[in-house]
Amino acid sequence: GVARMQVVAVDDGSTDRSGAELDRFARRHPDLCTVIHQANSGGPAGPFNRGLDAATGRYVFFLGADDHLGPEALARLVGVADEVDADIVLGRLVGAGGRVVNQGIYKPGNRDDITLVNSALPWALSNTKLFRRSMLEVHGIRYPEELRSYSDQPFTLRAVLAARRIAVRTDYTFYHAVRRTDS
């Protein structure tokens, strides 16, 4: 529920009035939403880092502006993380609108302790996972802002190497990655 959530939205110099829409949402839900406005950074790393700096919860999850989660996604991911004491939890991610997503990591089914060696994790290094925030903080894990694209892969790789346990869940569609035609 919203009493257990924090939404951090980073307006990265938008020109389509989405920043004003975020402010409107934050005024309606002041205990839920924090909006950060900044000049356009030229890539996702800066906004992700600003969001991490503002986050206060036990876990963080990064959601692309065009993508969406299943209605139970966050509750299920947090439940798994708490149940198996995982630092990272991957929930099944599917493509939408023609986007193709590699499904190799999900084919063996639910697992509680995957690694880069015993799974297809090397081909699933996007940031579309639940991360224990304290692990990120202890290890100083942030996105490399000098990279204008693909900054999620070094971030996720550092997190995977620092994680004590990584779990994957395949029995629910957690994340819908939408294909963008204007990127």
Side-chain angles (χ1 to χ4, degrees):
V2 296
R4 296 182 57 207
M5 286 180 56
Q6 175 192 25
V7 175
V8 178
V10 180
D11 171 22
D12 190 40
S14 65
T15 59
D16 62 358
R17 301 218 10 92
S18 58
E21 184 63 23
L22 290 170
D23 289 337
R24 186 183 70 77
F25 184 82
R27 281 192 302 276
R28 286 182 48 212
H29 305 283
D31 295 332
L32 171 66
C33 187
T34 300
V35 179
I36 299 167
H37 298 276
Q38 65 181 34
N40 185 271
S41 64
F48 285 146
N49 286 338
R50 299 305 81 72
L52 270 174
D53 293 343
T56 60
R58 289 185 302 135
Y59 300 103
V60 295
F61 192 94
F62 302 95
L63 180 65
D66 296 327
D67 302 338
H68 61 276
L69 297 173
E72 300 172 16
L74 293 176
R76 285 175 175 241
L77 291 168
V78 169
V80 170
D82 287 345
E83 178 186 333
V84 302
D85 195 28
D87 287 330
I88 301 173
V89 182
L90 293 75
R92 187 163 57 97
L93 182 142
V94 298
R99 185 162 174 189
V100 176
V101 174
N102 184 314
Q103 296 294 301
I105 190 73
Y106 309 113
K107 286 186 179 177
N110 291 346
R111 287 163 292 156
D112 292 341
D113 202 3
I114 66 168
T115 68
L116 289 167
V117 176
N118 72 5
S119 72
L121 188 55
W123 290 272
L125 292 177
S126 69
N127 64 346
T128 52
K129 301 159 181 48
L130 184 79
F131 296 90
R132 185 179 307 273
R133 190 174 65 82
S134 62
M135 175 201 57
L136 299 175
E137 297 302 325
V138 163
H139 296 283
I141 300 171
R142 290 294 188 268
Y143 291 83
E145 294 188 34
E146 66 277 7
L147 297 179
R148 291 180 57 92
S149 59
Y150 300 106
S151 59
D152 58 331
Q153 292 171 339
F155 170 88
T156 304
L157 185 57
R158 285 192 63 210
V160 162
L161 293 172
R164 294 171 296 115
R165 173 171 284 170
I166 303 168
V168 63
R169 289 298 180 267
T170 63
D171 53 355
Y172 180 78
T173 302
F174 291 86
Y175 195 104
H176 302 263
V178 178
R179 179 175 179 256
R180 291 185 61 176
T181 57
D182 66 343
S183 62

